[in-house]
Amino acid sequence: MIYRLWYWPSIPGRGEFVRLSMEAAGIPYEDSAREQGVSAMIADMGSRKRRGPFAPPYLVLPDDRAIAQTGNILLYLGDTHGLAPADPADRLWVHQVQLTVADMIAEVHQAHHPCGVGAYYEQQKSEAARFAAEFRAQRMPKYLGWFEKTLGEDEWIGGATWSYADCSLFQLIEGLRYMFPDRMMALEPLIPALVALHDRVAALPGIAAYGESKRRTPFNEDGIFRHYPELDGTE
Amino acid sequence: MIYRLWYWPSIPGRGEFVRLSMEAAGIPYEDSAREQGVSAMIADMGSRKRRGPFAPPYLVLPDDRAIAQTGNILLYLGDTHGLAPADPADRLWVHQVQLTVADMIAEVHQAHHPCGVGAYYEQQKSEAARFAAEFRAQRMPKYLGWFEKTLGEDEWIGGATWSYADCSLFQLIEGLRYMFPDRMMALEPLIPALVALHDRVAALPGIAAYGESKRRTPFNEDGIFRHYPELDGTE
């Protein structure tokens, strides 16, 4: 079974959260916009009259059904390929963590695009600095502290083995380190369990191999996690 | 089985999306922060050492397990009480719509809080006006047009009967009408299927009874949908 994953080819973005879980599990997929180009993605989206995606990423099944929304794609993959616990309560908990990661990522995006989704960062730099200051001081400790507390002494966020939410937490830490290196340096001593979880995910054979491959896209200033030094700070 | 729903008692906010589906289905619940006060909610959240919510709303089951994240709560209620289609593809589609509603709501929040989640609207009025102008001109037609296209000629968004996502689309239209009356007046002729869906949900016996009850909280300027006339406009 070969999936087609459609996502903007030049950024990790939200698509990377889907890629990571598939890579960790060794699920074959075509990274379709990289293979076929962005124009093919636009054409594919436009051709779907009903139940198409609002936006990439979306996953196309062999029967041509499209599944969109990062958390929803991961819910599907989790159930279909055992990337989430079988226990219903654990399974729902993993999804809750994933949606909380998504909320934090939306705020990360707002940190460089507070006043306009379609406008450039350069058109909203001072406003971004205001949001980023609050994000560093208030929101990062709140979100990361919640993940840390809820992880406790467990190895994985939702059960006896890794789930898609663990892969997402790995990428969240990776992205925050890229975007806010000074702030993360200050915060990481407060979140040792989360950092250890990150390291465990990094050591999964599928993730380690992916990280060394050309398929893994580096962070850059067109994506969600952007390193603008003026938005970082130790507090 | 009595659920406890914990949410800020003075605003509809995200909690209202949970209330609406439970009211439509006639599921008994205690609106706990209204019964017991905000301090009881803070205490309840604080008492949950593991797997507590990041933020309200959250639903507490009779076994004291807490489920948080609006979309996740609705996923649970959908599966447990038949508020989502039984067909796996339809069920996933309904969740995809719900998460897209959630994305739009996050942008609605950003329209009055672009520069700081914890700061007051009055501290960011001009920045809010910038975001709102783009939101009205670009994002509202894009989101609403997508819901309209995907609904097509169907009566309900995901199957032969109503689901939680239909209730959420109803509340989305209600909220947008409250926040952007002029803009919605201009846009509604372009989204007749979505308006008809809204009216069908409004006529569900559980929703109609809820709308006439004191349990239904009016929109106000502490919630997510806020009527600030300066943020509205016909285009």
Side-chain angles (χ1 to χ4, degrees), chain A residues 45-46 48-55 65-69 71-72 75-76 79 88-93 95-96 99-100 103 107 110 113-119 123-124 127 130-131 134 139 142-143 146 149-154 157-159, chain B residues 45-46 48-55 65-69 71-72 75-76 79 88-93 95-96 99-100 103 107 110 113-119 123-124 127 130-131 134 139 142-143 146 149-154 157-159:
Chain A
M45 286 178 70
R48 298 181 180 277
K49 298 303 174 202
R50 303 289 301 280
R51 299 197 175 186
F54 177 76
R65 177 157 66 100
I67 300 173
Q69 281 286 351
N72 197 50
L75 185 69
Y76 167 81
D79 288 350
D90 291 344
R91 175 180 166 277
L92 214 58
W93 165 250
H95 197 51
Q96 179 175 326
L99 296 184
T100 308
D103 281 352
E107 294 187 24
Q110 189 169 350
H113 277 78
C115 291
V117 175
Q123 297 170 294
Q124 45 194 318
E127 297 84 358
R130 273 178 69 187
F131 188 89
E134 184 202 66
R139 305 299 285 173
K142 184 172 177 182
Y143 275 109
W146 182 78
K149 174 183 170 183
T150 204
L151 184 57
E153 293 174 7
D154 290 352
I157 200 72
Chain B
M45 287 179 68
R48 297 181 180 277
K49 298 303 175 203
R50 303 288 302 280
R51 298 197 176 187
F54 176 74
R65 176 157 67 100
I67 300 173
Q69 282 285 351
N72 197 49
L75 185 70
Y76 167 81
D79 289 349
D90 292 344
R91 175 181 167 277
L92 214 57
W93 165 251
H95 198 51
Q96 179 175 324
L99 296 183
T100 308
D103 281 353
E107 294 188 24
Q110 190 170 349
H113 277 77
C115 291
V117 176
Q123 296 170 296
Q124 45 194 320
E127 298 84 357
R130 274 178 68 187
F131 188 89
E134 184 202 65
R139 305 300 284 174
K142 184 172 177 182
Y143 275 109
W146 182 78
K149 174 183 169 183
T150 205
L151 184 57
E153 294 174 5
D154 290 352
I157 199 74

Side-chain angles (χ1 to χ4, degrees), chain A residues 1-2 4 14 17 39 55 62 65 83 88 96 99 102 129 143 145 150 160 166 170 203 210 221-222:
Chain A
M1 181 192 218
I2 292 285
R4 281 174 283 151
R14 288 183 171 82
F17 291 88
S39 58
R65 177 157 66 100
L83 316 187
Q96 179 175 326
L99 296 184
Y143 275 109
T150 204
D166 294 293
F170 161 81
Y210 177 55
E221 281 56 66
D222 293 317

Side-chain angles (χ1 to χ4, degrees), chain B residues 36-234:
Chain B
Q36 303 178 40
V38 166
S39 58
M41 180 168 78
I42 304 296
D44 184 84
M45 287 179 68
S47 73
R48 297 181 180 277
K49 298 303 175 203
R50 303 288 302 280
R51 298 197 176 187
F54 176 74
Y58 64 102
L59 189 72
V60 177
L61 311 193
D63 68 0
D64 204 43
R65 176 157 67 100
I67 300 173
Q69 282 285 351
T70 307
N72 197 49
I73 298 169
L74 291 171
L75 185 70
Y76 167 81
L77 291 173
D79 289 349
T80 307
H81 297 279
L83 316 187
D87 176 79
D90 292 344
R91 175 181 167 277
L92 214 57
W93 165 251
V94 161
H95 198 51
Q96 179 175 324
V97 172
Q98 179 64 43
L99 296 183
T100 308
V101 170
D103 281 353
M104 188 174 186
I105 289 166
E107 294 188 24
V108 166
H109 185 268
Q110 190 170 349
H112 49 76
H113 277 77
C115 291
V117 176
Y120 289 107
Y121 168 65
E122 286 69 23
Q123 296 170 296
Q124 45 194 320
K125 285 180 72 168
S126 64
E127 298 84 357
R130 274 178 68 187
F131 188 89
E134 184 202 65
F135 184 75
R136 290 195 314 269
Q138 308 291 335
R139 305 300 284 174
M140 286 176 73
K142 184 172 177 182
Y143 275 109
L144 296 176
W146 182 78
F147 292 124
E148 177 77 11
K149 174 183 169 183
T150 205
L151 184 57
E153 294 174 5
D154 290 352
E155 273 197 79
W156 307 105
I157 199 74
T161 185
W162 67 270
S163 69
Y164 64 78
D166 294 293
C167 294
S168 295
L169 287 167
F170 161 82
Q171 178 70 355
L172 182 67
I173 297 295
E174 290 278 298
L176 291 172
R177 284 178 177 172
Y178 177 79
M179 185 160 170
F180 301 104
D182 292 348
R183 186 60 179 139
M184 285 300 277
M185 189 92 75
L187 282 175
E188 287 199 28
L190 306 175
I191 51 167
L194 196 52
V195 171
L197 173 74
H198 164 278
D199 296 348
R200 273 190 291 277
V201 173
L204 292 173
I207 296 292
Y210 177 55
E212 289 168 12
S213 77
K214 284 195 214 161
R215 301 190 303 284
R216 172 81 164 156
T217 313
F219 294 108
N220 61 56
E221 281 56 66
D222 294 317
I224 294 174
F225 296 102
R226 303 180 180 200
H227 183 53
Y228 296 127
E230 63 273 22
L231 298 184
D232 192 16
T234 54

Side-chain angles (χ1 to χ4, degrees), chain A residues 155-158 161-171 197 201:
Chain A
E155 272 198 81
W156 307 106
I157 200 72
T161 184
W162 67 271
S163 69
Y164 64 79
D166 294 293
C167 295
S168 295
L169 286 167
F170 161 81
Q171 178 69 355
L197 172 74
V201 173

